[in-house]
C-alpha cells in the first residue's frame, strides 16, 4: 500500500477473524499466496505477538477493539445473549451496538463530525452512518436473515441500493462463504460514500478453521481468498481517490487451537444436583424447558472457556458445591478442564462480571451445550478459540500501513486492548473509557 507520508484523514479497519499469528509468521513454510498481506508487512508497522482478551471469542474481542476496554467494562462477555435456564432461548447474538456499555470508535468519530461505515462489524448493528449489520447464522440460508439485515441497515435502503447497482452481489454467497458479499458492500460504501472511518469484518476464515481445523489446506485456501478481498478494498479506496490519505489497520481477534472433544458443564452440574434435567433423554435438551426453581448454577459457554453463574449469588451452598465439583477436575487427564479461575482471578482477567468461576478447557477440548448424556463427547468441529490470552502459541496479528505512519517494522508485543486507542489516535479521536493505550506510530 504505497501512500504519501502525510497525516491520515481517513481510517480503514479490516478484521480478519481468526488470523492466528502463526499463519503470517510461517507464511513461507505454509506456502501461502497472500501478496497483499506480504506487501503491507513490508511497508508497515506490525506485530505478530498480539495478546487478546478473555474470553477470546469474536464479539467480546471486537468490542474491545472498538472501545479499548476489557469485556468486564464494555459488557460483551460472549457472542450470544445471556439467557439463563427457564427463559426463552432465542439463540440471538449481540447483534446491536446498543448492548455496548463503553465509548466506541464510531461514537468518538461522530462527536468530531466524522462519517462512519460498518460492514458486518460485530456488535455494530444500528451504529454509524453507513451500516450493513452482521445478523447472520452460519449454516442457515442467507435469505432467513437478509430481511433483518435490511430492516437494520443504515441508511434504510442501503442494501437494496447495492442490489440494484451490483447484479453479482449474491453470486458467491453460499452456506459456508459470505465474505465476497461483505467485500462488495464495503466496496460500494468506500466508493460512493467515502466515510472517514470504515470498519469491515470478514469471518469465513474463522468458520473454515472451526469446520476443518487450523492450518489445514481448507483454512489456508480461505486465507488466500481473504488476501484478495483486502486487495479489493484497497483498490476501492484508490478508485474513490482516498487511498493516499487513508491509514489502514489489519486487525484480528484470536488465535486458533485444534480440538477433538467437548466437555459439557451442564451434564456435570446436573450430576451434582445443581441443575435438574430429564435424565431419561440423551444428548442436548433445551434450557428453556428447565423451570426457574430447577437450577442453582448454569454454564454460559464461550467456546474454549465457560462462565459458571449462580441463580442466587448469595447461595453459599451452591457456590461450595460448584467449587467441589470443578476444582478437582482441573488438570486431571481426560476431564477436559485445564484450569478453574475463581473470584478475584475472574475479576482480574477482565471477563464476565456475572461469573464467580471461569473454566478453561484443556488442550484438544472445548465446551459443549449438552444437558444430558456423557460429560465428554467427540467434537464435530476441528478447531476452536475462546481460551485464555496466556495460552502458549495463541497470539493474533496487527498490521498498520498507509497515511500518517512513520514507524515501520516489528512493534514487538501488543495488546488487543491497545488497538482501539491506536486507531483513534490516527484520526485525532479520544475513546473516553479506554483502558488501553494508543501505540505511537506517527
Amino acid at each position: 500500500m504505497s501512500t504519501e507520508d502525510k497525516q491520515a484523514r481517513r481510517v480503514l479497519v479490516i478484521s480478519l477473524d481468526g488470523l492466528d499469528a502463526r499463519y503470517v509468521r510461517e507464511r513461507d513454510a505454509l506456502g501461502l499466496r497472500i501478496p497483499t498481506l506480504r506487501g503491507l508487512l513490508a511497508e508497515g508497522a506490525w506485530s505478530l505477538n498480539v495478546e487478546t482478551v478473555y474470553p477470546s471469542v469474536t464479539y467480546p474481542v471486537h468490542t474491545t477493539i472498538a472501545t479499548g476496554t476489557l469485556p468486564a467494562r464494555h459488557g460483551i462477555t460472549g457472542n450470544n445473549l445471556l439467557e439463563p435456564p427457564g427463559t426463552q432461548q432465542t439463540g440471538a447474538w449481540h447483534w446491536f451496538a446498543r448492548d455496548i456499555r463503553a465509548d466506541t470508535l464510531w461514537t468518538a468519530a461522530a462527536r468530531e463530525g466524522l462519517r462512519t461505515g460498518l460492514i458486518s462489524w460485530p456488535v455494530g448493528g444500528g451504529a454509524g452512518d453507513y451500516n450493513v449489520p452482521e445478523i447472520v447464522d452460519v449454516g442457515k440460508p442467507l435469505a432467513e436473515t437478509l430481511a433483518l439485515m435490511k430492516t437494520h441497515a443504515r441508511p434504510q435502503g442501503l442494501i437494496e441500493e447495492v442490489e440494484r447497482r451490483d447484479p453479482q452481489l449474491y453470486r458467491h454467497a453460499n452456506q459456508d462463504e459470505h465474505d465476497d458479499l461483505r467485500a462488495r458492500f464495503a466496496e460500494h460504501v468506500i466508493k460512493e460514500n467515502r466515510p472517514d472511518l470504515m470498519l469491515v469484518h470478514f469471518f469465513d476464515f474463522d468458520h473454515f478453521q472451526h469446520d476443518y481445523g487450523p492450518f489445514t489446506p481448507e483454512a489456508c485456501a480461505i486465507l488466500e481468498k481473504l488476501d484478495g478481498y483486502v486487495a479489493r478494498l484497497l483498490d476501492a479506496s484508490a478508485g474513490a481517490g482516498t487511498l493516499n490519505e487513508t491509514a489502514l489497520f489489519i486487525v484480528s481477534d484470536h488465535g486458533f487451537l485444534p480440538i477433538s472433544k467437548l466437555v459439557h458443564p451442564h451434564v456435570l452440574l446436573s450430576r451434582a444436583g445443581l441443575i435438574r434435567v430429564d435424565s431419561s433423554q440423551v444428548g442436548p435438551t433445551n434450557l428453556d424447558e428447565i423451570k426457574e426453581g430447577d437450577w442453582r448454577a448454569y454454564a454460559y459457554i464461550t467456546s474454549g472457556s465457560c462462565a459458571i453463574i449462580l441463580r442466587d449469588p448469595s447461595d453459599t451452598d451452591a457456590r461450595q458445591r460448584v467449587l467441589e465439583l470443578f476444582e478437582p477436575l482441573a488438570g486431571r487427564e481426560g476431564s477436559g478442564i485445564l484450569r478453574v479461575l475463581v473470584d478475584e482471578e475472574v475479576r482480574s482477567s477482565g471477563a464476565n462480571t456475572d461469573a464467580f468461576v471461569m473454566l478453561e478447557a484443556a488442550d484438544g477440548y472445548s465446551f459443549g451445550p449438552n444437558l444430558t448424556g456423557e460429560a465428554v463427547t467427540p467434537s464435530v468441529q476441528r478447531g476452536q478459540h475462546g481460551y485464555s490470552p496466556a495460552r502458549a502459541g495463541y497470539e493474533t496479528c496487527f498490521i498498520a500501513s498507509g497515511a500518517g505512519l512513520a514507524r515501520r517494522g516489528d512493534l514487538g508485543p501488543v495488546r488487543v486492548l491497545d488497538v482501539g486507542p491506536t486507531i483513534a489516535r490516527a484520526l485525532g479521536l479520544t475513546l473516553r473509557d479506554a483502558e488501553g493505550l494508543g501505540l505511537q506510530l506517527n
Side-chain angles (χ1 to χ4, degrees), residues 9-29:
R9 294 182 56 197
R10 303 175 196 276
V11 161
L12 172 60
V13 181
I14 303 175
S15 170
L16 307 184
D17 199 310
L19 185 59
D20 189 300
R22 288 170 290 182
Y23 283 99
V24 183
R25 191 181 301 125
E26 300 168 20
R27 54 195 180 274
D28 291 331

Side-chain angles (χ1 to χ4, degrees), residues 120-170:
S120 201
W121 190 264
V123 206
D129 299 284
Y130 312 100
N131 190 318
V132 177
E134 181 166 291
I135 308 175
V136 62
D137 189 344
V138 174
K140 289 186 178 179
L142 178 62
E144 290 190 18
T145 50
L146 188 56
L148 276 173
M149 292 169 61
K150 289 180 176 180
T151 297
H152 295 285
R154 290 171 65 98
Q156 280 285 303
L158 174 60
I159 294 176
E160 291 87 341
E161 178 185 346
V162 183
E163 287 176 336
R164 290 190 296 270
R165 300 279 293 272
D166 184 356
Q168 303 297 313
L169 182 62
Y170 300 112

Side-chain angles (χ1 to χ4, degrees), residues 106-120:
W106 49 86
T107 53
R111 285 196 297 272
E112 301 302 321
L114 303 182
R115 295 172 306 138
T116 58
L118 295 86
I119 304 299
S120 201

Side-chain angles (χ1 to χ4, degrees), residues 175-193:
Q175 184 170 326
D176 292 313
E177 296 184 51
H178 291 131
D179 279 348
D180 174 75
L181 175 63
R182 296 183 184 94
R184 290 173 184 271
F185 283 130
E187 288 170 308
H188 174 90
V189 171
I190 290 170
K191 291 176 181 177
E192 301 299 324
N193 306 114

Side-chain angles (χ1 to χ4, degrees), residues 10 189-192 194 234-243 245:
R10 303 175 196 276
V189 171
I190 290 170
K191 291 176 181 177
E192 301 299 324
R194 302 172 74 222
L234 298 183
D235 288 344
S237 295
T242 58
L243 184 61
E245 59 188 30

Side-chain angles (χ1 to χ4, degrees), residues 57-259:
V57 288
T58 297
Y59 280 36
V61 186
H62 277 82
T63 308
T64 291
I65 292 171
T67 64
T69 64
L70 293 167
R73 174 64 182 84
H74 60 60
I76 308 301
T77 56
N79 291 343
N80 54 299
L81 301 182
L82 198 66
E83 296 176 326
T87 62
Q88 183 181 5
Q89 302 295 302
T90 67
W93 287 23
H94 286 286
W95 305 126
F96 300 105
R98 62 178 180 244
D99 294 345
I100 301 174
R101 302 198 302 247
D103 195 29
T104 63
L105 286 167
W106 49 86
T107 53
R111 285 196 297 272
E112 301 302 321
L114 303 182
R115 295 172 306 138
T116 58
L118 295 86
I119 304 299
S120 201
W121 190 264
V123 206
D129 299 284
Y130 312 100
N131 190 318
V132 177
E134 181 166 291
I135 308 175
V136 62
D137 189 344
V138 174
K140 289 186 178 179
L142 178 62
E144 290 190 18
T145 50
L146 188 56
L148 276 173
M149 292 169 61
K150 289 180 176 180
T151 297
H152 295 285
R154 290 171 65 98
Q156 280 285 303
L158 174 60
I159 294 176
E160 291 87 341
E161 178 185 346
V162 183
E163 287 176 336
R164 290 190 296 270
R165 300 279 293 272
D166 184 356
Q168 303 297 313
L169 182 62
Y170 300 112
R171 180 179 179 184
H172 299 293
N174 56 55
Q175 184 170 326
D176 292 313
E177 296 184 51
H178 291 131
D179 279 348
D180 174 75
L181 175 63
R182 296 183 184 94
R184 290 173 184 271
F185 283 130
E187 288 170 308
H188 174 90
V189 171
I190 290 170
K191 291 176 181 177
E192 301 299 324
N193 306 114
R194 302 172 74 222
D196 303 292
L197 171 65
M198 183 76 174
L199 300 101
V200 184
H201 174 225
F202 292 122
F203 71 63
D204 287 349
F205 185 45
D206 175 273
H207 173 51
F208 270 68
Q209 290 185 90
H210 282 303
D211 280 2
Y212 297 99
F215 308 104
T216 57
E218 294 85 355
C220 290
I222 290 294
L223 179 55
E224 292 178 348
K225 280 191 177 184
L226 278 184
D227 188 83
Y229 299 143
V230 173
R232 283 168 50 182
L233 299 197
L234 298 183
D235 288 344
S237 295
T242 58
L243 184 61
N244 283 346
E245 59 188 30
T246 297
L248 171 69
F249 295 93
I250 302 293
V251 302
S252 190
D253 46 2
H254 51 71
F256 247 94
L257 297 176
I259 64 166

